[in-house]
Amino acid sequence: MKVYISVDLEGATGVTDWAETELGNGEHKWASKQMTLETLAACEGAIAAGADEIYIKDAHDSGRNIDISDLPECATVIRSWTLTPESMMAGIDSSFDAAIFIGYHSMAGSNASPLAHTMNRDNCWVKINGEKVAEFDLNAYVAASYGVPVVFVSGDEGICNHARKLVPEIGTAGVKFGIGEATFSMAPKKGVELIKKGVEESLKNIEKCKIELPEEFVFEANFKEHGNALRKAYYPGAEQVDEHTVRYVAKDVADMMTARMFIL
């Protein structure tokens, strides 16, 4: 079995403040350690379920957060950025049996996490076909475009609840929830254990997690600063629908994700 794991940091157990997410900041050290432990747990769960080849995308900020020293020998790790439309899913293709998302977070505009955002902190919300979306949705669509189902997600409870709207049978591990600028988090060791067990169980439900892709993708982004909307609307085919909102109608996932590189 060949498994793809995309790992973010804002949804890792205990992570609460932006300072903890920034490479080089003293507070990043423990947060990246927890990110690493959760990645290892996902690998262990996947191997227990029969995975013999694993690709891991360090998908947070610098792309250089995970300590790769103890990764299993069957793993290939993708660090930094390929600068291609797949972004947090770089390297995915139709050869994978399943995808797993670790450390994911709630979408821009959500109050479920103090670190809620979608791709960056400049936008108030992002929509696809009229529905607000998270990075989860974008990356799940990328996986689905290659016929690869997302079977498991860990992170804050908000993103776990949101993920089940797109993939009803997905396995989840909600390791914390947010109120205001605070998080209420389970003990890190418990989060790691839930991820390991959850991944192993979820890889038994690959067929149940496949989704149908929409015929087209109406991609919209609402920006905090009106100047950002004005500038992003110059992407070919995009239109500015009001002072803060840009819309682009994409023919498929690849088209949408290419536009996203320039609009978000």
Side-chain angles (χ1 to χ4, degrees), residues 122-139:
D122 295 332
N123 55 73
C124 297
W125 50 256
V126 177
K127 293 181 180 180
I128 295 176
N129 296 339
E131 298 291 332
K132 290 182 180 179
V133 297
E135 292 167 16
F136 172 87
D137 303 81
L138 295 173
N139 297 334

Side-chain angles (χ1 to χ4, degrees), residues 210-263:
K210 292 183 176 180
I211 62 173
E212 295 290 331
L213 291 173
E215 293 184 3
E216 69 174 10
F217 294 83
V218 179
F219 180 82
E220 296 176 281
N222 180 273
F223 295 92
K224 298 174 183 178
E225 301 293 336
H226 67 274
N228 280 336
L230 175 64
R231 180 163 57 90
K232 303 301 179 65
Y234 279 95
Y235 180 78
E239 62 173 326
Q240 187 171 1
V241 297
D242 62 39
E243 288 88 346
H244 293 269
T245 308
V246 174
R247 177 188 295 136
Y248 179 80
V249 180
K251 61 184 179 181
D252 55 27
V253 175
D255 185 20
M256 176 179 69
M257 293 301 286
T258 300
R260 182 215 60 81
M261 295 175 70
F262 300 93
I263 294 175

Side-chain angles (χ1 to χ4, degrees), residues 80-244:
S80 194
W81 298 97
T82 59
L83 306 180
T84 55
E86 293 84 3
S87 188
M88 297 172 73
M89 301 296 289
I92 188 118
D93 59 33
S94 59
S95 67
F96 289 88
D97 295 291
I100 292 163
F101 295 167
I102 301 297
Y104 271 50
H105 53 80
S106 290
M107 62 185 164
S110 169
N111 61 5
S113 166
L115 302 177
H117 66 285
T118 303
M119 300 309 292
N120 58 58
R121 296 160 66 181
D122 295 332
N123 55 73
C124 297
W125 50 256
V126 177
K127 293 181 180 180
I128 295 176
N129 296 339
E131 298 291 332
K132 290 182 180 179
V133 297
E135 292 167 16
F136 172 87
D137 303 81
L138 295 173
N139 297 334
Y141 281 136
V142 170
S145 72
Y146 289 100
V148 181
V150 182
V151 301
F152 181 85
V153 61
S154 71
D156 61 68
E157 290 183 1
I159 193 58
C160 292
N161 293 334
H162 177 80
R164 286 190 285 269
K165 295 178 181 179
L166 182 63
V167 189
E169 297 296 326
I170 193 170
T172 64
V175 298
K176 61 186 177 186
F177 64 89
I179 297 178
E181 295 182 354
T183 60
F184 291 65
S185 179
M186 65 177 57
K189 288 183 179 179
K190 183 177 180 180
V192 166
E193 189 61 27
L194 281 178
I195 289 168
K196 179 180 177 180
K197 291 180 179 179
V199 167
E200 181 177 358
E201 288 300 311
S202 296
L203 284 169
K204 300 174 183 178
N205 296 321
I206 291 175
E207 290 299 318
K208 294 181 180 180
C209 292
K210 292 183 176 180
I211 62 173
E212 295 290 331
L213 291 173
E215 293 184 3
E216 69 174 10
F217 294 83
V218 179
F219 180 82
E220 296 176 281
N222 180 273
F223 295 92
K224 298 174 183 178
E225 301 293 336
H226 67 274
N228 280 336
L230 175 64
R231 180 163 57 90
K232 303 301 179 65
Y234 279 95
Y235 180 78
E239 62 173 326
Q240 187 171 1
V241 297
D242 62 39
E243 288 88 346
H244 293 269

